[in-house]
């Protein structure tokens, strides 16, 4: 057994893997594999309906929002958001907090005027800009709640007159949010919700259909909402595995319980980073992410040795993204606290070994 600190696709609960593998052989004692059943069958209808219901229940999604299961990842949402919400010659506001935010901005720039209200690029995205103004005539204000690569997170929804649009790919379902604060939330599933291949979209119905554009149906949220995410063949298996993970989350106590655990997990690891003389956190302390913990060594020659040392103890996926270097421990919902404790022990052992 490995302790998987990979950033995504990433760990899911072991029980989910077991049940998911069983369904490939025989789905619910039907004599059929989940991979061969029709997406219009009663059996799959039950799956997608329960998945939607669980998202609604876990996040307390208000009635006037649609919950969609789409394809194309968060990257497709970078384009779909402006396609659906930005009128011709319209303007949208974006907050630039890292690589994914930048990609979202680049895509939106192809479809309208984009005002970047603030950016932490100058500081290599080690912090979240706090002082900025969102122009009230923007069609929407887009931000990234958790910066997977840089290890920063925005816990409070920013105040904004235009509808808020949020890329929550790497922290959705990890903490309580107030959906009513948002016009649209999207998240590629492969960090906290399920396997790669499905993308969650939660959209307030009345912000749609205001641009006067006639979009290709496959990129039109309204088409997907009208069809209950069955406009075309959805990613059946990815939705099924997400359902298993959503059931797991509910059975362990829902968002409140997972948030409590995530706070303890992150605190445990940051305390060691701050205490251990070999390591140093890279993100501004008040903006530290609870999902992706980025840290380096002052003596970078030792970084390779530590990765090997950790790997020998079954700790994998710790290598930092090339734009930050060092290490990144992704500690999503499914990563148990025992894995954090073993990482902390390993950091201590390594420091003792290298103490002068
Ligand atoms: C991983 C990630 C993405 C990219 O997701 P894809 O599903 O690969 O398109 C976008 N935004 C954030 C915050 C991410 O963590």
């Amino acid at each position: 057994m490995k302790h998987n600190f990979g950033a995504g696709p990433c760990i899911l609960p072991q029980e989910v893997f077991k049940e998911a593998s069983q369904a490939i052989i025989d789905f619910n004692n039907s004599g059929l594999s989940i991979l061969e059943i029709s997406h219009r069958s009663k059996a799959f209808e039950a799956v997608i309906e329960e998945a939607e219901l669980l998202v609604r229940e876990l996040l307390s999604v208000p009635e006037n929002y649609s919950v969609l299961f789409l394809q194309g990842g968060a990257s497709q949402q970078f384009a779909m958001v402006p396609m659906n919400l930005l009128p011709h010659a319209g303007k949208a506001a974006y907050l630039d907090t890292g690589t994914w935010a930048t990609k979202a901005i680049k895509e939106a720039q192809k479809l309208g005027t984009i005002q970047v209200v603030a950016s932490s690029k100058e500081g290599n995205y080690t912090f979240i800009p706090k002082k900025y103004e969102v122009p009230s005539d923007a069609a929407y204000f887009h931000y990234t709640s958790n910066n997977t690569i840089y290890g920063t997170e925005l816990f409070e929804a920013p105040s904004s007159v235009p509808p808020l649009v949020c890329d929550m790919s790497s922290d959705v379902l990890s903490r309580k949010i107030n959906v009513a604060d948002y016009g649209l939330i999207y998240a590629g599933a492969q960090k906290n919700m399920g396997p790669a291949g499905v993308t969650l979209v939660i959209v307030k119905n009345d912000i749609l259909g205001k641009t006067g554009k006639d979009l290709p149906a496959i990129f039109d949220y309204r088409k997907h909402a009208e069809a209950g995410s069955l406009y075309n063949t959805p990613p059946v298996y990815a939705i099924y595995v997400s359902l298993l993970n959503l059931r797991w989350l509910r059975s362990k106590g829902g968002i409140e319980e997972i948030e409590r655990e995530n706070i303890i997990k992150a605190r445990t690891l940051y305390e060691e980073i701050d205490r251990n003389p070999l390591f140093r956190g890279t993100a501004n302390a008040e903006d530290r992410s609870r999902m992706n913990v980025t840290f380096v060594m002052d003596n970078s020659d030792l970084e390779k040795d530590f990765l090997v040392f950790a790997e020998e103890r079954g700790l994998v996926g710790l290598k930092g993204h090339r734009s930050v270097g060092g290490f990144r421990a992704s500690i999503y919902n499914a990563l148990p606290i025992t894995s954090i404790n073993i990482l902390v022990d390993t950091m201590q052992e390594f420091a003792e070994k290298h103490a002068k």
Side-chain angles (χ1 to χ4, degrees), residues 53-62 67 168 171-180 185 193 200 202 246 249 255:
L53 215 71
L54 280 175
V55 168
R56 285 187 180 276
E57 181 189 316
L58 288 162
L59 293 174
S60 309
V61 179
V67 172
M168 284 193 195
D171 65 350
V172 71
L173 298 163
S174 74
R175 59 186 173 83
K176 194 166 185 285
I177 55 166
N178 181 18
V179 173
I185 291 166
M193 194 179 86
L200 176 69
I202 302 174
L246 291 163
L249 182 53
I255 299 291

Side-chain angles (χ1 to χ4, degrees), residues 73-75 78 100 144 146 148 167 169-170 190-191:
S75 300
F78 297 164
W100 295 117
T144 314
N146 183 66
T148 323
D167 176 358
S169 292
S170 50
Q190 68 272 20
K191 283 142 190 161

Side-chain angles (χ1 to χ4, degrees), residues 3-17:
H3 303 275
N4 184 7
F5 291 88
C10 61
I11 188 171
L12 288 171
Q14 289 303 314
E15 317 68 307
V16 168
F17 288 141

Side-chain angles (χ1 to χ4, degrees), residues 28-294:
N28 281 353
N29 300 314
S30 63
L32 295 170
S33 165
I34 180 83
L35 301 180
E36 65 184 323
I37 64 168
S38 164
H39 61 290
R40 311 239 176 240
S41 64
K42 281 261 175 305
F44 183 69
E45 236 170 60
V47 167
I48 196 163
E49 277 172 16
E50 188 185 343
E52 173 175 342
L53 215 71
L54 280 175
V55 168
R56 285 187 180 276
E57 181 189 316
L58 288 162
L59 293 174
S60 309
V61 179
E63 292 262 332
N64 56 332
Y65 284 67
S66 296
V67 172
L68 309 176
F69 298 101
L70 307 182
Q71 303 192 58
S75 300
Q76 182 167 306
Q77 295 309 307
F78 297 164
M80 268 179 85
V81 163
M83 284 169 96
N84 282 269
L85 302 181
L86 193 50
H88 285 299
K91 175 169 95 174
Y94 278 68
L95 182 64
D96 177 22
T97 54
T99 309
W100 295 117
T102 306
K103 288 198 171 169
I105 290 165
K106 284 204 173 122
E107 291 297 271
Q109 278 168 339
K110 295 172 188 167
L111 296 158
T113 303
I114 301 307
Q115 183 173 338
V116 178
V117 297
S119 170
S120 46
K121 185 170 191 213
E122 294 286 294
N124 200 31
Y125 297 117
T126 48
F127 66 96
I128 304 281
K130 312 260 167 10
K131 288 210 177 81
Y132 51 81
E133 248 176 71
V134 180
S136 58
D137 61 340
Y140 61 88
F141 175 47
H142 178 284
Y143 79 104
T144 314
S145 55
N146 183 66
N147 299 286
T148 323
I149 291 176
Y150 296 92
T152 59
E153 189 167 2
L154 225 154
F155 295 100
E156 300 268 316
S159 58
S160 166
V161 175
L164 269 182
V165 173
C166 186
D167 176 358
M168 284 193 195
S169 292
S170 50
D171 65 350
V172 71
L173 298 163
S174 74
R175 59 186 173 83
K176 194 166 185 285
I177 55 166
N178 181 18
V179 173
D181 290 341
Y182 297 88
L184 190 149
I185 291 166
Y186 63 90
Q190 68 272 20
K191 283 142 190 161
N192 249 337
M193 194 179 86
V198 61
T199 309
L200 176 69
V201 173
I202 302 174
V203 59
K204 191 174 184 182
N205 297 323
D206 70 10
I207 69 166
L208 298 176
K210 294 196 166 156
T211 62
K213 293 186 205 166
D214 187 19
L215 295 174
I218 194 75
F219 299 124
D220 190 335
Y221 291 124
R222 284 178 305 171
K223 283 282 189 303
H224 291 287
E226 280 161 20
S229 298
L230 295 171
Y231 166 72
N232 67 330
T233 316
V236 169
Y237 191 59
I239 293 171
Y240 177 65
V241 181
S242 299
L243 167 63
L244 297 179
N245 191 47
L246 291 163
R247 281 183 187 158
W248 170 84
L249 182 53
R250 186 183 53 185
S251 75
K252 71 177 291 151
I255 299 291
E256 202 173 316
E257 174 57 22
I258 207 76
E259 180 168 14
R260 194 187 66 80
E261 289 179 22
N262 285 333
I263 288 171
I264 296 171
K265 279 155 55 186
R267 190 197 297 144
T268 305
L269 184 50
Y270 283 117
E271 274 174 7
E272 178 57 22
I273 290 168
D274 292 339
R275 192 206 59 79
N276 191 311
L278 287 187
F279 299 93
R280 177 168 53 79
T282 58
N284 196 17
E286 66 173 12
D287 299 323
R288 282 172 161 179
S289 167
R290 272 183 215 147
M291 295 285 105
N292 309 94
V293 177
T294 50

